[in-house]
Amino acid sequence: MNGTWRQRLPRASDRRIALRVTPGALREIRSGAPWVFDRSVTSVSDAGAPGDLAVIFDDKRRFAAIGLWDPDSPVRVKVLHTGDPTTIDADWWRGTLRAALDRRESIAADTSTTAYRCVNGENDGLPALVVDRYDTTLVVKLYSAVWFPHLTTLVDALVEFIEPERVVLRLGRTVAAGDTFGLADGDALVGEAPERAVLFRERGLIMEADVVHGQKTGHYLDQRDNRTLVRGIASGRDVLDVFASTGGFALAAAAGGARSVHLVDQSAPALAAAQRNIAHNLRLREVRECAIHTTIGDAFDVLAALGRLEVERFDLVVLDPPSFASRQSHVDRALRAYAALTRLGVALLRPGGVLVQASCSSRVSADQFVETVITAARDAGRPLHETRRTGHAVDHPISFPEGAYLKAIFAHV
């Protein structure tokens, strides 16, 4: 796609929408909450359009915050700034983006890793926006239509700061279902859309990401540090990687000298990508010598079947499921699912084996998650000794409590 997309986008408006919100919402905003929900808006000066700037005032008509107006979303305002009044213009956008990139300076300087998150949404002051880098490819993912009027400014700044070969646009489901001004999920905003998966390095390992059609932006970058930890403890072990997806943990284990790795996932295309990721690294003796097995199927069913066989047992089991709690009302159900996974996983561990279990459910706290895992293992007669608890990597910073979604426990049985 050439630059004609720029002419089709709505222009950023000079209009400012004045809002009043409930006292509770005002307290939350001043405490760092990045959202204002529709039920908290008590008055609004204008119907507005997605991406207009909304200024929130307190009951004494003093400035409280400014954000992006989203009239079609329950999250009515995506907050950009609180405190003293400020001007949101091209310089502000550039400065906020530059600050986000500066937070990643350490990982950007690591030549063994060429893929990382450049913008982590609300946690970097840019709500509903994710920017991931895969070597010379940038992926910009929009989770709200508020970004269309500001997309040109954002892309121009990214090109200036990073100088990518291409910039690929990805659209969240709710965004893609609306008016996208002629843009489609997977379009290239700069350069040409890749015809195949792009390659990148993660701690020296070569991997691929389908940035046009893949889940999220093409790869789960947030587990990089945990994959590195698994690589460090895999030597000589038989490893089971459940919810293996494109094989990040399996490849790390193989590179770490694992004797064998068994990947389980319900997606055949994901496991095919995992096989390709392993093939990309056959230059490493450890990867060549590791026995690789794959099983396509529901994780719970496969784990239960392996348990009934009482033959195949493992020294290291990795359980990295998708989110089980998309809303607060799902938390109890999620905790039951984590407990069931733990019981199935520890049943397959040899004495002294290691369980690595993760959660990406933001509504489940780290303490809730770890307590659930420890209790379930004890009730199953396989008590755990916790050796490490991990959270977010440097490129996935946290600026508000709900932003902390990732947690993992490493424990010996």
Side-chain angles (χ1 to χ4, degrees), residues 70-91:
D70 196 348
D72 302 317
S73 168
V75 182
R76 196 53 50 91
V77 180
K78 276 72 171 170
V79 177
L80 299 171
H81 172 80
T82 61
D84 295 330
T86 193
T87 300
I88 306 296
D89 55 15
D91 288 340

Side-chain angles (χ1 to χ4, degrees), residues 11 42 91 100 105 146 149 169 213 225 245 276 283 287 322 400:
R11 293 182 178 273
T42 59
D91 288 340
E105 186 175 1
V146 299
L169 177 69
H213 303 292
D225 288 353
S245 186
R276 292 193 299 273
R283 71 191 189 283
V287 177
F400 64 108

Side-chain angles (χ1 to χ4, degrees), residues 328-397:
Q328 192 62 37
S329 60
H330 294 170
V331 168
D332 287 344
R333 185 178 68 186
L335 293 174
R336 290 193 296 272
Y338 288 128
L341 268 181
T342 301
R343 289 191 293 269
L344 291 167
V346 296
L348 298 174
L349 278 169
R350 294 174 179 136
V354 178
L355 175 71
V356 178
Q357 188 166 347
S359 164
C360 62
S361 301
S362 62
R363 291 167 178 82
V364 174
S365 71
D367 287 342
Q368 281 179 304
F369 173 67
V370 171
E371 181 181 357
T372 296
V373 171
I374 295 293
T375 300
R378 185 180 63 240
D379 292 347
R382 306 300 303 276
L384 295 173
H385 171 63
E386 181 183 349
T387 58
R388 186 187 292 265
R389 193 181 303 190
T390 65
H392 285 237
V394 66
D395 59 331
H396 288 70

Side-chain angles (χ1 to χ4, degrees), residues 2-226:
N2 58 35
T4 58
W5 61 271
R6 297 170 182 266
Q7 283 71 52
R8 297 199 298 270
L9 292 178
R11 293 182 178 273
S13 173
D14 293 331
R15 175 173 44 206
R16 299 293 183 269
I17 301 170
L19 270 80
R20 297 285 182 84
V21 299
T22 62
L26 193 61
R27 285 193 299 272
E28 290 180 359
I29 292 167
R30 287 172 168 163
S31 297
W35 307 304
V36 176
F37 291 91
D38 53 356
R39 63 181 180 271
S40 298
V41 177
T42 59
S43 68
V44 58
S45 65
D46 194 302
D52 283 352
L53 291 172
V55 183
I56 300 168
F57 296 94
D58 66 14
D59 56 0
K60 296 182 180 178
R61 298 183 179 179
R62 296 175 301 193
F63 175 92
I66 187 169
L68 296 173
W69 178 246
D70 196 348
D72 302 317
S73 168
V75 182
R76 196 53 50 91
V77 180
K78 276 72 171 170
V79 177
L80 299 171
H81 172 80
T82 61
D84 295 330
T86 193
T87 300
I88 306 296
D89 55 15
D91 288 340
W92 188 92
W93 292 116
R94 286 167 49 83
T96 302
L97 180 59
R98 180 73 266 174
L101 295 176
D102 287 346
R103 294 185 190 101
R104 281 86 173 165
E105 186 175 1
S106 61
I107 193 167
D110 179 4
T111 58
S112 72
T113 297
T114 59
Y116 55 91
R117 177 149 294 181
C118 299
V119 174
N120 192 34
E122 290 82 351
N123 297 282
D124 282 306
L126 297 167
L129 172 72
V130 162
V131 180
D132 285 344
R133 180 176 186 174
Y134 297 98
D135 199 12
T136 61
T137 297
L138 291 184
V139 182
V140 174
K141 184 151 190 178
L142 310 183
Y143 289 93
S144 169
V146 299
W147 284 104
F148 285 120
H150 310 285
L151 189 57
T152 296
T153 299
L154 173 73
V155 170
D156 287 346
L158 288 169
V159 169
E160 177 186 348
F161 293 149
I162 300 178
E163 299 181 351
E165 177 182 346
R166 65 176 65 90
V167 178
V168 175
L169 177 69
R170 299 297 305 272
L171 303 174
R173 281 177 293 180
T174 58
V175 180
D179 185 0
T180 61
F181 309 99
L183 291 171
D185 186 48
D187 279 348
L189 304 179
V190 174
E192 299 294 329
E195 296 181 357
R196 58 183 61 86
V198 300
L199 299 181
F200 63 92
R201 291 191 303 278
E202 179 175 294
R203 304 284 161 76
L205 300 175
I206 298 172
M207 303 187 72
E208 65 176 54
D210 182 353
V211 299
V212 174
H213 303 292
Q215 291 287 325
K216 302 296 183 180
T217 64
H219 184 63
Y220 292 94
L221 295 167
D222 51 2
Q223 289 281 25
R224 181 193 312 105
D225 288 353
N226 286 331

